[in-house]
Every structure is written in structure tokens, then in C-alpha cells.
Amino acid sequence: MADSDPHIAQLRRYLYLGDETKPFPSSVSYPFNPEKIKFIEELETRETDKEAIREILRMYREGHYLELEPIIYALAVYAHSKHSFMKDAALNVANEICSSAASMLTFACFYKELSWPSTGYGRALRRFLTQWYNKKEAKDLAIEVTKVKSRHKWTHKDILCMAHVKSENTANAAVLKYAVKGFRVAEKECGSQAEAESVLSYLKGIYELTHTDNPEVAARLIEIHDLCLEHVPSKILKSKEVALCLIPRVPLKCLLELLPRFSKLGLLKLNSQHYKAVLERLSSEESLNDGSLDPLETFLVLRKWQIANRILPGKPMVRQNTPALDDALQKLHLVSFKTIIPKEKRYLIALDIRLTMNHIHCVGCSALTPSHVSDIILMA
């Protein structure tokens, strides 16, 4: 059975941690060591090859992974299988997992890397990429293409040219033309077609946003076209008008990550417009019932907020008195414990109570100490 198969257990460990050999790997991101993941290819020679694909899909759907890249890499390995049924199964799963532009570009990069020294794309991958660009609605495709322009040095232009992606849909073809040759060419060649008018208007808004230095114009473009944070150039992200426009629009997680930056820019002074907008957003029922943040994530936000506003020795006092905002973040943290699904099991938790737990920092996250994480585990 797959549940007792040691090779499937090894695969689970790799998919979750990005490394099946170390108990606490320092990173779960690409590049991976090819010598340590040969077991993925070896699963093909056993009767557990189909189980491996099902396990990848199960872990993705249940969210049992730290980063998506190990899952995508495993799929890219199986997409190179000599067995046609394994290749088809891997690409079918990739259709679900690689739905975003970031994951699709990552998959294409890994697939190409594993294809070395051969050049070009195979028929199966070209079909997968063509379906990815054609199955989306034109507006959704435009959002994906403009939000994430590249991953691992691979751009949409690279993918479209190498895979020879074409679209019979006029609006989608306009987006592909934009990705390859830019807005001016897309507008010139597709502007006279009524089907592409709406999506070209959206792309024009993004084009104007990236070329304007006027914060008021940028804020108006964001409101008119309902643009997202990824569309905003960093040069105008610091402006008060753009920040105020983004506060009610960005996802809650992005807003929480932006709070230290807004505080550093002096935008969250007591009773300022930005302060009131953030407080209203965090206190809303929608945010409290969001359910996308777990207790560790909300506590990390709380810690970063505290660190960003602390009084440093020998420095002028810069902390703003924002008790209402502090309370809103604390309430958001407490509410996040509702996202934990009870397992109806009893656990024995052993804690290290040495002083070093309070003085050292977690790997990859200097804002937290091991004692902080231990507290979250106990409270959960």
C-alpha cells in the first residue's frame, strides 16, 4: 500500500520540505540538488508510479507544502517520463496546479532544464502551454500576464515564441501580441477589432500606469481599471495617493506586509487618512472572517509591526501612538486560531526551556525566536 511504502513517504517529505534527507532544510526553494531527488525518477520503475502522481495532487489540494516549487519540479520530472501514461498524468495534474502565471513559468523553466541538452519543446509541453494561454478568458489572461512577467529568467515572450502559441480568440490574441511585442504593436494590430476593445483598454491602463510619474493620475488609473499591487511601479508606490488607493484593494495578506513600509513612510500617523483606512479594513467583518491567515502568519505580522515601531537606543523617538491599530492586529491574530482544523487527537509536545530559546532567531525569519513559535504551537 502507498501509505506504508517508504518511497512514497520519502516523496512526501521532499514535497513538503524540498529535501528528503535533512530534517530541517534551510531552504525549500529552487535550485534543488539533482543527486538528492533521483528517487523521484526511480519511482517510475516501481508499481507506485501512479500513486506518486496521486500523492502530488493530494498534497497540493490539502495544502501540505511549504513552497510550491518542489511539487512543480516533481511534476516536471514525471512529465519527462518514457511512459506515455505517466507523462499525460503529470501534465493533466500540472493543468490544475500550474494555473497561475508564476507556477506555469516555473514549470516551463524546470521542464526545459530537465530536457537539456536537447533544444526546443516537445509536442506534449507545447500543447500544455497552448491550452494554458487559450483556456483563460481574455481579461483573466491579461491580469496573469501583466502581474507576473517572469520567473527564473523566463518570460511570457520566451514561452510564446518557443512554443509557437497561437490563439483563434481575437481578445486572447491581442494579449499574446502584447506579451510578445508590447502595447503599441498590440493596439495598432488589434485595436480595430471590437472583440479586443475591452482587454486593450485594460492593457492601456497598465501601460499608462507604468509610464506616469503623477501619483494622482496613477491612483485614478488604479481605480478605473481595478489594478492590483503587482501593476504599480515601485517609484510611485511610496506616494500618499497611491497608498491610500491600494489599502482597500490589495489582499489582506499583502496589506499586512505593507504596514511596516507605510509606517516608515509616516503614512500611519494617528487619525491620518491612511491610518483610518487601514483600521477600517482590519476591523471589518470581511477581514476578521478572511480565513487565509494562520496564527503564525498573523503573529509574524504583529512582531514585524512592533519591530518597525520600536524605539531604538540613541535614536529620536519615532514611534506613533496607535493603540487602536495595535488592538486591531491583536484581534486579527486571535481570530486566526479559528482557521485551525481540530484533528481530534492528543499530542505530546516537548519544549526546550533554555534561555537560548529567547535569544536566538529562527532561520529565515529574524523577527521570531523559537520561544515565539513554541507559544503558537501550544496555543493552537
Side-chain angles (χ1 to χ4, degrees):
M1 295 295 292
D3 291 340
S4 59
D5 191 297
H7 302 290
I8 294 296
Q10 190 179 17
L11 176 65
R12 290 194 193 106
R13 187 173 187 82
Y14 164 74
L15 295 176
Y16 186 78
L17 294 174
D19 192 324
E20 86 290 358
T21 58
K22 297 180 181 178
F24 302 106
S26 58
S27 174
V28 294
S29 300
Y30 175 83
F32 308 108
N33 188 342
E35 297 298 327
K36 294 183 178 180
I37 58 172
K38 285 186 176 180
F39 73 93
I40 300 179
E41 298 177 352
E42 293 173 359
L43 287 175
E44 282 190 73
T45 62
R46 300 183 173 89
E47 296 180 355
T48 54
D49 49 3
K50 295 181 180 179
E51 290 294 336
I53 295 293
R54 284 196 287 266
E55 191 64 23
I56 291 173
L57 184 58
R58 183 191 68 82
M59 292 192 68
Y60 168 75
R61 288 176 174 175
E62 296 180 3
H64 293 166
Y65 57 89
L66 296 179
E67 295 289 346
L68 196 56
E69 288 188 345
I71 290 180
I72 297 176
Y73 196 92
L75 282 177
V77 172
Y78 287 125
H80 280 82
S81 174
K82 297 178 181 179
H83 306 292
S84 59
F85 71 91
M86 278 291 291
K87 179 181 292 187
D88 293 341
L91 290 173
N92 286 334
V93 173
N95 277 321
E96 177 177 340
I97 294 178
C98 302
S99 58
S100 67
S103 55
M104 182 275 294
L105 290 170
T106 301
F107 179 80
C109 171
F110 292 168
Y111 189 97
K112 182 63 178 175
E113 179 185 284
L114 293 168
S115 300
W116 189 87
S118 63
T119 59
Y121 285 154
R123 186 185 306 170
L125 182 62
R126 289 201 303 270
R127 183 170 60 250
F128 164 77
L129 294 173
T130 300
Q131 290 176 354
W132 191 93
Y133 283 101
N134 282 283
K135 70 181 181 181
K136 297 182 183 295
E137 295 292 333
K139 179 67 176 294
D140 296 333
L141 179 61
I143 293 173
E144 288 292 338
V145 168
T146 53
K147 279 177 59 177
V148 180
K149 297 181 179 180
S150 66
R151 276 293 185 275
H152 301 293
K153 299 181 180 180
W154 281 83
T155 66
H156 291 282
K157 181 178 180 179
D158 299 328
I159 301 295
L160 293 171
C161 292
M162 291 193 68
H164 306 291
V165 178
K166 305 292 182 182
S167 178
E168 296 180 358
N169 183 290
T170 305
N172 283 40
V175 178
L176 300 184
K177 186 71 67 175
Y178 166 86
V180 175
K181 296 187 176 181
F183 173 73
R184 290 302 183 191
V185 175
E187 184 182 39
K188 181 179 180 181
E189 297 186 7
C190 305
S192 59
Q193 300 169 351
E195 297 87 347
E197 182 178 352
S198 177
V199 72
L200 283 175
S201 174
Y202 179 79
L203 293 173
K204 183 178 181 180
I206 297 174
Y207 177 82
E208 292 177 348
L209 178 63
T210 56
H211 289 80
T212 185
D213 294 323
N214 190 325
E216 295 181 357
V217 173
R220 187 168 67 253
L221 289 170
I222 293 172
E223 291 180 352
I224 293 174
H225 299 285
D226 195 21
L227 304 181
C228 56
L229 178 64
E230 290 81 359
H231 293 135
V232 182
S234 56
K235 61 182 179 181
I236 59 173
L237 187 58
K238 298 179 180 180
S239 66
K240 296 181 179 180
E241 295 84 357
V242 172
L244 186 61
C245 182
L246 288 174
I247 288 173
R249 297 176 182 277
V250 297
L252 180 61
K253 187 174 182 178
C254 292
L255 176 61
L256 294 174
E257 292 174 352
L258 287 171
L259 288 184
R261 179 187 293 187
F262 288 165
S263 178
K264 187 176 180 180
L265 294 172
L267 300 179
L268 297 180
K269 295 180 180 179
L270 189 63
N271 294 327
S272 67
Q273 281 185 304
H274 300 77
Y275 175 82
K276 293 178 180 178
V278 170
L279 188 60
E280 181 181 358
R281 175 78 187 276
L282 296 182
S283 303
S284 66
E285 289 295 327
E286 182 182 357
S287 297
L288 294 175
N289 298 324
D290 183 83
S292 62
L293 297 172
D294 60 46
L296 187 58
E297 289 177 313
T298 53
F299 183 75
L300 179 58
V301 169
L302 195 59
R303 282 289 300 157
K304 287 182 177 180
W305 172 252
Q306 293 170 349
I307 292 172
N309 289 278
R310 68 182 177 181
I311 302 173
L312 300 178
K315 299 289 183 179
M317 184 178 295
V318 296
R319 182 178 180 182
Q320 304 296 331
N321 185 21
T322 55
L325 188 53
D326 297 342
D327 292 342
L329 290 172
Q330 186 69 37
K331 185 176 181 180
L332 193 65
H333 171 57
L334 295 176
V335 170
S336 66
F337 282 93
K338 295 180 180 179
T339 62
I340 300 176
I341 302 175
K343 298 297 183 181
E344 298 182 357
K345 294 181 180 180
R346 300 178 66 184
Y347 294 91
L348 175 63
I349 301 175
L351 298 180
D352 187 344
I353 59 174
R354 291 176 296 177
L355 290 178
T356 53
M357 294 284 284
N358 293 322
H359 300 300
I360 61 177
H361 299 286
C362 295
V363 176
C365 184
S366 59
L368 297 180
T369 64
S371 62
H372 289 143
V373 180
S374 300
D375 292 341
I376 297 296
I377 294 174
L378 289 176
M379 292 178 66

